[in-house]
Amino acid sequence: MSLVLGVDSSTQSTKAVLVDATDGTVVAQRSAPHPSGTAVDPRAWLTAFDEATDGLLDRADAVAVAGQQHGMVALDAAGEPVHDALLWNDTRSAGAAHDLIAEMGGPDACASALGSVLVASFTVTKLRWLRDHEPTASARVAEVLLPHDYVSRHACAPGTDAFTDRGDASGTGYFAIAEGTWRHDLLAAALGHEASLPRVAAPGAVAGRTAAGQVVAAGTGDNMGAALGLGLGPGDVLVSVGTSGVASCVSATPVADGTGTVTGFADARGGYLPMVTTMNAARILDHQARWLGVDLATLSDLALVSEPGARGVTLLPYYGGERTPNLPGAVGTWTGLTDATTREDLARAAFEALLCSLADAVDHLAGATGEEPQRIWMVGGATRSPALQALAPAILGRPVTLPPPGEYVALGAARQAAWALAGTPAPPTWHLADTVELTTGLTDGPTSYVREGYARLRERTATWS
């Protein structure tokens, strides 16, 4: 039996799963935490990788790393960080995003060149921020990597050149998605000088080897890894409820949305992964539980006692700014509070706000691709909540499929490792068992007024940032 190791180097932790390469069965797994914050010393990820893979890596025939997208890992000529890595959810570069879009000729020109309109999440905006605010550090930058590139090289034998894949590269802001090539000119314009970039390994390729000779695959971004782990196919939409909220689907053709709502990423298989992302998802529930002084299980119980529409209470949950819509300076906004408002209503409003935000994302995705979703997959820790499961089909307006609990980003990395190990034209087929279809509320009458109330508040506060 061949074993492969898939690693998810996420915002919060490193998760490693050791998998049977034949059928995708997980035989062992470990994890290690990351430091909190939106700016992190990237060397902490290497320590977490070593801890999470201890005892697993030496059992594997191949390994791949999927990591959080967009993070800026800026290194000097000796390979040492010149600055903490700015993560995807660090919005200090919002002004830089506006400047860079203008320099490219506006949003439509930006989308045409890159497949996406820049927002503060993209790596290139963080490089411009570094140039403008930390010029001494900026001048020392000799190489720019993404988080998964940095960890992948650490897994390889010393002296291995850095590598990436087109999926994660498509979130940098200096990669031409349609051509599949780096735009070195855009990186230099942002940073103020040229810097080395990793080679882009082909899908399914052997990108390197460990010191012990094990195959190292190209790795990819976390969203691309999740799509690969679930075996996302045509007509599927994946909704991920993590720190951020993400709706994505696979496509044979690139998307270039000049409004900036849909980001036109590449995927890990040679196709494309158009995506809509929110900055606020599961933490909406975390905040509400903390403010009500309850745990998440009790928050769910409270929400189910209230009624659809939370008796008129509506929340716009832009607590950390927002990416869709692009309002990096926005704040959370509540409306409809009265003397009769209960704890149950406040809990219900939080769940409804989360799901309305995700429903908007699914609608934007369908509009950009011209394809109505045939099946919605929902993943993420928050999906274990009974309230989220009960409310999701009605607010999303479609049945929702829950795969069995699992680390799908890490599983996607493992599938990529198995693909590179096998050397086949396509990744191995791994079947998911024990999926659950949710249909609650779809036959109980229309609940469109929940989304309508959310939309009214969203439009009313559209310029509050």
Side-chain angles (χ1 to χ4, degrees):
M1 179 176 64
S2 293
L3 296 177
V4 292
L5 186 65
V7 177
D8 172 14
S9 183
S10 72
T11 309
Q12 298 175 330
S13 65
T14 292
K15 288 156 281 198
V17 295
L18 190 65
V19 175
D20 182 337
T22 305
D23 60 11
T25 300
V26 176
V27 300
Q29 59 186 31
R30 293 191 59 177
S31 66
H34 289 175
S36 61
T38 64
V40 174
D41 185 337
R43 289 169 292 201
W45 305 331
L46 308 185
T47 301
F49 174 89
D50 291 342
E51 181 180 341
T53 63
D54 185 30
L56 302 182
L57 181 57
D58 58 2
R59 298 170 60 189
D61 298 296
V63 60
V65 178
Q68 54 180 303
Q69 287 186 251
H70 304 303
M72 178 199 76
V73 182
L75 306 175
D76 64 17
E80 296 298 320
V82 305
H83 191 277
D84 282 350
L86 301 186
L87 307 191
W88 62 272
N89 54 351
D90 192 302
T91 60
R92 72 184 76 182
S93 58
H98 289 293
D99 293 343
L100 290 167
I101 291 169
E103 291 170 17
M104 292 184 68
D108 288 333
C110 185
S112 178
L114 304 171
S116 304
V117 177
L118 299 176
V119 292
S121 298
F122 279 68
T123 318
V124 72
T125 71
K126 302 174 191 306
L127 293 173
R128 172 57 64 86
W129 179 90
L130 191 70
R131 186 201 76 172
D132 292 346
H133 295 271
E134 298 285 350
T136 301
S138 174
R140 293 171 50 214
V141 176
E143 182 179 37
V144 181
L145 302 179
L146 292 163
H148 114 258
D149 311 339
Y150 186 62
V151 178
S152 291
R153 184 165 66 181
H154 175 70
C156 291
T160 302
D161 292 336
F163 55 85
T164 193
D165 89 310
R166 58 191 291 278
D168 211 7
S170 64
T172 59
Y174 41 86
F175 183 82
I177 180 174
E179 294 79 16
T181 56
W182 291 121
R183 287 288 305 268
H184 292 274
D185 58 323
L186 296 180
L187 179 138
L191 183 60
H193 61 86
E194 295 182 356
S196 175
L197 291 172
R199 59 185 167 88
V200 181
V206 175
R209 291 190 179 270
T210 67
Q214 299 139 300
V215 164
V216 181
T220 193
D222 52 2
N223 293 295
M224 297 79 191
L228 196 58
L230 283 164
L232 212 63
D236 291 340
V237 170
L238 173 59
V239 174
S240 176
V241 192
T243 306
S244 61
V246 179
S248 60
C249 66
V250 295
S251 174
T253 56
V255 170
D257 177 14
T259 71
T261 303
V262 179
T263 48
F265 295 137
D267 72 1
R269 294 192 58 172
Y272 301 91
L273 194 73
M275 185 180 304
V276 180
T277 304
T278 70
M279 290 188 66
N280 300 276
R283 62 179 170 182
I284 298 168
L285 307 180
D286 293 337
H287 289 322
Q288 196 62 25
R290 176 167 54 86
W291 291 330
L292 291 178
V294 298
D295 59 19
L296 290 171
T298 304
L299 186 75
S300 176
D301 293 340
L302 290 171
L304 291 173
V305 173
S306 186
E307 62 186 39
R311 298 186 181 92
V313 178
T314 305
L315 161 65
L316 201 67
Y318 301 165
Y319 295 129
E322 190 47 84
R323 174 168 167 174
T324 304
N326 185 25
L327 298 171
V331 296
T333 306
W334 288 80
T335 190
L337 300 174
T338 71
D339 290 340
T341 298
T342 65
R343 287 159 51 87
E344 291 81 2
D345 299 334
L346 296 176
R348 179 84 178 211
F351 280 95
E352 290 183 343
L354 168 58
L355 287 166
C356 284
S357 176
L358 295 173
D360 281 354
V362 172
D363 288 348
H364 287 311
L365 197 63
T369 62
E371 297 182 9
E372 279 297 313
Q374 301 301 308
R375 176 172 60 171
I376 293 180
W377 291 91
M378 186 171 282
V379 299
T383 62
R384 292 191 289 269
S385 166
L388 195 75
Q389 293 182 15
L391 274 57
I395 293 179
L396 292 171
R398 303 170 180 90
V400 173
T401 300
L402 295 181
E407 299 293 348
Y408 286 99
V409 174
L411 191 64
R415 190 175 177 215
Q416 188 188 51
W419 186 11
L421 181 66
T424 51
T429 300
W430 293 347
H431 295 287
L432 291 177
D434 303 322
T435 60
V436 176
E437 185 171 276
L438 306 175
T439 59
T440 305
L442 288 178
T443 60
D444 295 343
T447 56
S448 58
Y449 57 87
V450 175
R451 289 197 64 190
E452 290 166 0
Y454 178 85
R456 284 194 297 271
L457 180 57
R458 183 192 64 220
E459 296 307 314
R460 197 169 79 211
T461 60
T463 59
W464 293 8
S465 62

